[in-house]
Amino acid sequence: SCVFTNAGAQPGDILILTKPLGTGVITTALKQGKALPSWVNCAVQSMTTLNRAAAAIVSKYSGIHAMTDVTGFGLMGHGREMAMGAGVTLEIEVEKVPRLEGALDAIALGAIPAGLRANRDYAECVVSDAPSRTISDDLRALMYDPQTSGGLLISVAPQTAEALLSSLRNAGLPATAIGRALAGKPAIVLR
């Protein structure tokens, strides 16, 4: 069987995320009595979708350079590990990062889990905004949301990315290209 580490990302790779973000803030909103049933249903559906299907599809492709699951450290925490492990800069297009229905609403309502704050303390030191990019506070916070049963973050050669995305989507997985790896110091740039 294939073993992927989070340390092999190469400049030029496309970054693919297989599940939307938001389980942390939505479950917090649920505990606070602020969540709509539709938000909770979407979050539960995401959390109960196993990564096994995605991993099985990924294992059929060459050109997969790195992979990690996005769990408690959030996209930025796990992204930080990938960037540091490979010595690359990850460029994330925040508007393309898939999010659960209600995720930004939950943040706006103040449903901020303690883990999200901890993730910011851990990872924010390597995260910067692209020049002239203004990112809303709520969307920025979501990038640090701790995920329960989050998706896979995959760093894949550009010539493989489209085929891999198609296969994941054909299997019913909401995979999305969210950015790329660039040559540069270990860091994350939000654009």
Side-chain angles (χ1 to χ4, degrees):
S1 69
C2 306
V3 177
F4 295 104
T5 72
N6 65 1
Q10 296 177 15
D13 280 0
I14 303 297
L15 301 173
I16 293 174
L17 184 63
T18 63
K19 285 189 187 183
L21 300 182
T23 60
V25 293
I26 289 171
T27 53
T28 300
L30 177 64
K31 290 173 194 158
Q32 294 177 352
K34 299 173 180 174
L36 295 181
S38 60
W39 305 354
V40 177
N41 291 342
C42 289
V44 168
Q45 183 181 353
S46 182
M47 289 186 285
T48 54
T49 300
L50 300 178
N51 284 327
R52 192 178 320 143
I57 291 167
V58 168
S59 70
K60 296 186 175 112
Y61 285 88
S62 58
I64 311 290
H65 296 142
M67 184 167 78
T68 185
D69 54 342
V70 176
T71 54
F73 289 114
L75 180 60
M76 294 298 97
H78 292 284
R80 175 184 190 250
E81 296 299 305
M82 188 176 276
M84 306 289 264
V88 294
T89 296
L90 302 186
E91 183 181 75
I92 306 286
E93 297 184 52
V94 290
E95 296 291 348
K96 288 189 177 174
V97 175
R99 48 192 188 252
L100 289 167
E101 179 195 339
L104 292 180
D105 304 284
I107 292 170
L109 291 169
I112 307 293
L116 190 155
R117 292 193 184 92
N119 290 343
R120 288 187 90 147
D121 289 345
Y122 171 70
E124 213 158 26
C125 56
V126 300
V127 179
S128 62
D129 294 355
S132 76
R133 178 72 170 102
T134 308
I135 298 163
S136 77
D137 291 343
D138 292 352
L139 188 54
R140 181 185 309 283
L142 184 63
M143 299 299 114
Y144 296 90
D145 188 38
Q147 302 307 289
T148 299
S149 184
L152 301 174
L153 177 62
I154 305 161
S155 184
V156 56
Q159 60 270 25
T160 306
E162 279 304 318
L164 177 59
L165 266 175
S166 294
S167 293
L168 290 165
R169 288 177 180 156
N170 288 342
L173 300 166
T176 309
I178 62 165
R180 57 199 177 127
L182 304 170
K185 68 182 193 320
I188 300 172
V189 176
L190 304 179
R191 71 158 62 250

